[in-house]
């Protein structure tokens, strides 16, 4: 019995950490500040590292967000001497794979943190060396991420080819010209306007200001070099300022990011562009659903669009964006679909943070027809009236549907720093963290563990399978395996 109890506690600890690492980025939320978020996360990382090092490293193969992935890598490298040889091999492979998937700027920021913490062991130097060697174009990094690359090379005492990179980084005026086109364009951009438009956008911006190139002219000529994300950001900035509009193909945007963009538009723009925006969101949802489209049976979603879904200035409307993206994804996954927003609105495209959170009332409406799956996307602050959702779910599970014909899953996009977990609706239903709606189909397997049906042996087997798939170069981080309705 003690062994079984210890296994259950360990499984709950791992799930608690994964939920936090999926949702929290250490930034301010609607109900908690940045300091509370960071302190709570730091405690969980220290607890997992000290008690479940192997499972802590395995979280890199799950859907933890980039912020927490970087923290895990930092802590594993900082404490490399405490790992066994077998652990070091597995951790090294997991770290290398996850760094390959992180945005380069995030990796360079991580290297800077390691330098500040004086972490410079042989394992760290090898990981930095291998990551830099695998970069597709060292010249591009030397131009776009110059400060980060210089700091990484100084910290690890590495030499990076080709030979002209050293002079460019550390003595840029020592050469009259460079063989690499980007390096030479950067040299020429100091005095030649045409060279500015050969550089990456973030670097070219500074030179454009130095040359006093009009913003409209600069954006028009630099447009071919913009990344997808840069196009979206510029389009949003142009909407606010009315200067320098940049076109972008919304149908190629990731689903949750596209939902955030849509929510940032004024309602009048959403109405005027209804057909375009709806088509883009539907296309992105179909891309995520793939072969699962139409296979989930009868699905009802309870979607939170209350005031708290505004989140904060750092995570503006992020919970609402997850709900909106989930709405379009579920409409594609389900055979028949019904959406119930907490505000009572019926036009999802015009969603906006508003009013209290009557989850209990909406759950009554959702459960009454007896669908195959009820999926709740909410931060769990049921307050109109408080506690009604928990009572509805208790009665439903104990009296009306004890056999579980209708599956109920709560997806929570907000980490509750005070409780070190996701805020739950009821012990009767599983709650799992979600950051991107793209992970929604995969969350069903993790939801099974959250109900206590799995235990540590099954959870370890699940993590081992995910790690093997991750290291083999599979679909990338995700919290669970294949989808299907619960």
């Amino acid at each position: 019995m003690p062994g079984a109890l210890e296994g259950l506690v360990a499984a709950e600890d791992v799930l608690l950490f994964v939920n936090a690492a999926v949702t929290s980025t250490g930034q301010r939320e609607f109900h908690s500040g940045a300091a509370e978020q960071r302190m709570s996360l730091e405690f969980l990382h220290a607890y997992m590292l000290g008690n479940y090092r192997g499972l802590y490293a395995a979280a890199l193969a799950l859907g933890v967000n980039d912020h927490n992935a970087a923290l895990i890598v930092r802590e594993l490298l900082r404490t490399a001497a405490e790992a066994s040889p077998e652990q070091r091999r597995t951790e090294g492979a997991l770290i290398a794979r996850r760094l390959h998937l992180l945005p380069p700027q995030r990796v360079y920021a991580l290297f800077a943190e390691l330098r500040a913490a004086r972490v410079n062991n042989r394992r760290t130097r090898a990981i930095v060396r291998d990551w830099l060697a695998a970069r597709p174009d060292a010249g591009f990094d030397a131009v776009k991420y110059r400060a980060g690359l210089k700091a990484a090379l100084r910290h690890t005492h590495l030499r990076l080819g080709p030979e002209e990179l050293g002079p460019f980084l550390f003595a840029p005026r020592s050469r009259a010209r460079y063989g690499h086109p980007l390096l030479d364009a950067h040299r020429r951009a100091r005095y030649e306007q045409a060279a500015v438009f050969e550089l990456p956008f973030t670097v070219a911006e500074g030179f454009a200001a130095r040359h006093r190139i009009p913003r409209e002219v600069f954006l028009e000529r630099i447009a071919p070099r913009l990344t997808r994300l840069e196009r979206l950001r510029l389009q949003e900035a142009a909407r606010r300022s009315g200067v320098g509009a940049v076109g972008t193909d919304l149908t190629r945007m990731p689903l949750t990011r596209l939902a955030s963009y849509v929510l940032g538009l004024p309602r009048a723009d959403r109405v005027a562009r209804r057909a375009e925006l709806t088509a883009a969101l539907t296309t992105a949802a179909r891309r995520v659903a793939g072969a699962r489209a139409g296979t989930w049976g009868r699905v009802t979603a309870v979607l939170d669009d209350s005031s708290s879904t505004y989140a904060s200035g750092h995570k503006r409307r992020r919970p609402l964006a997850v709900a909106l993206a989930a709405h379009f994804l579920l409409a594609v996954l389900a055979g028949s679909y019904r959406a119930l927003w907490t505000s009572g609105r019926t036009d999802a495209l015009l969603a906006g943070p508003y009013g209290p959170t009557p989850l209990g009332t909406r759950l009554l409406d959702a459960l009454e027809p007896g669908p195959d799956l009820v999926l709740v996307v909410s931060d769990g602050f049921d307050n109109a009236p408080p506690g009604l959702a928990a009572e509805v779910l208790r009665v439903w599970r104990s009296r009306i549907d004890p056999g579980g014909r209708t599956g109920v899953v709560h997806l929570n996009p907000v980490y509750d720093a005070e409780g070190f977990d996701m805020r739950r609706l009821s012990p009767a239903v599983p709650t799992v963290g979600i950051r991107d709606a793209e992970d929604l189909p995969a969350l069903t397997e993790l939801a099974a563990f959250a109900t206590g049906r799995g235990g540590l042996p099954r959870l370890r087997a699940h993590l081992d399978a995910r790690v093997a798939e991750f290291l083999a170069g599979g679909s990338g981080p995700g919290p669970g395996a294949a989808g299907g309705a619960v």
Side-chain angles (χ1 to χ4, degrees), residues 96-318:
R97 174 68 176 148
R98 191 61 200 254
L99 290 183
H100 175 71
L101 297 174
L102 285 176
Q105 64 272 22
R106 178 82 67 171
V107 179
Y108 281 118
L110 169 62
F111 292 165
E113 290 181 17
L114 292 171
R115 183 187 186 193
R118 299 181 181 276
V119 178
N120 195 22
N121 50 54
R122 184 174 64 179
R123 183 183 182 194
T124 299
R125 292 195 298 273
I127 284 171
V128 174
R129 178 199 65 213
D130 292 345
W131 186 83
L132 290 175
R135 293 293 295 154
D137 188 347
F140 177 85
D141 278 24
V143 171
K144 185 162 186 176
Y145 309 112
R146 183 172 184 170
L149 180 56
K150 284 176 65 175
L153 293 177
R154 278 177 172 158
H155 180 50
T156 54
H157 310 291
L158 294 172
R159 292 177 179 268
L160 188 65
E163 290 183 2
E164 63 182 1
L165 281 182
F168 176 81
L169 290 170
F170 299 104
R173 298 182 186 273
S174 64
R175 293 201 174 191
R177 62 181 55 86
Y178 293 94
H180 192 288
L182 267 183
L183 302 187
D184 202 59
H186 188 276
R187 176 190 65 81
R188 291 184 289 111
R190 291 196 295 269
Y191 54 83
E192 181 184 323
Q193 285 194 16
V196 172
F197 303 101
E198 302 173 27
L199 297 171
F201 169 72
T202 52
V203 181
E205 259 192 321
F207 283 109
R210 181 186 301 183
H211 289 295
R212 298 183 180 179
I213 300 173
R215 185 69 172 175
E216 296 85 348
V217 174
F218 170 67
L219 290 178
E220 181 182 354
R221 295 187 60 183
I222 201 68
R225 305 194 70 86
L226 293 175
T227 66
R228 185 173 57 187
L229 182 55
E230 287 168 347
R231 285 180 180 276
L232 257 192
R233 286 174 174 168
L234 284 173
Q235 196 172 65
E236 176 64 13
R239 181 191 65 77
R240 292 195 301 266
S241 65
V243 178
V246 176
T248 186
D249 182 4
L250 297 182
T251 61
R252 299 177 58 192
M253 293 304 301
L255 179 57
T256 306
R257 192 178 296 280
L258 177 58
S260 293
Y261 168 76
V262 170
L263 292 172
L265 296 173
R267 289 196 173 195
D269 288 3
R270 288 187 247 174
V271 171
R273 300 171 58 186
R274 178 181 295 277
E276 174 198 0
L277 298 176
T278 302
L281 286 162
T282 302
T283 298
R286 285 174 178 161
R287 191 165 54 241
V288 174
R292 295 181 291 251
T295 63
W296 276 31
R298 296 170 301 147
V299 177
T300 298
V302 175
L303 304 167
D304 189 349
D305 59 346
S306 63
S307 296
S308 63
T309 58
Y310 175 79
S312 68
H314 290 101
K315 303 179 74 173
R316 191 174 291 121
R317 294 180 294 269
R318 179 74 189 197

Side-chain angles (χ1 to χ4, degrees), residues 12-51:
E12 290 178 349
D13 287 345
V14 173
L15 291 171
L16 183 148
F17 174 71
V18 170
N19 275 337
V22 165
T23 55
S24 179
T25 56
Q27 296 170 308
R28 182 183 175 187
E29 297 281 3
F30 189 85
H31 293 284
S32 62
E36 294 100 319
Q37 288 278 323
R38 287 195 299 269
M39 183 171 63
S40 184
L41 266 185
E42 287 169 4
F43 170 79
L44 288 179
H45 278 266
Y47 179 80
M48 285 295 297
L49 178 64
N51 292 280

Side-chain angles (χ1 to χ4, degrees), residues 327-339:
H327 166 72
F328 278 89
L329 178 56
L330 288 169
V332 173
L333 288 170
S336 64
Y337 173 65
R338 181 184 179 210

Side-chain angles (χ1 to χ4, degrees), residues 400-463:
I400 301 173
D401 185 21
R405 293 187 307 274
T406 296
V408 183
V409 176
H410 174 208
L411 302 180
N412 194 327
V414 179
Y415 174 62
D416 181 16
E418 184 178 351
F420 296 95
D421 199 0
M422 321 311 299
R423 192 175 183 91
R424 300 176 183 275
L425 291 178
S426 165
V429 301
T431 297
V432 290
I434 183 171
R435 176 166 173 78
D436 294 304
E438 287 86 333
D439 292 329
L440 186 150
L443 285 167
T444 54
E445 185 150 346
L446 199 59
F449 293 112
T451 62
R453 296 197 300 255
L456 187 59
R458 279 193 59 203
L459 181 58
R460 282 187 182 276
H462 173 68
L463 290 176

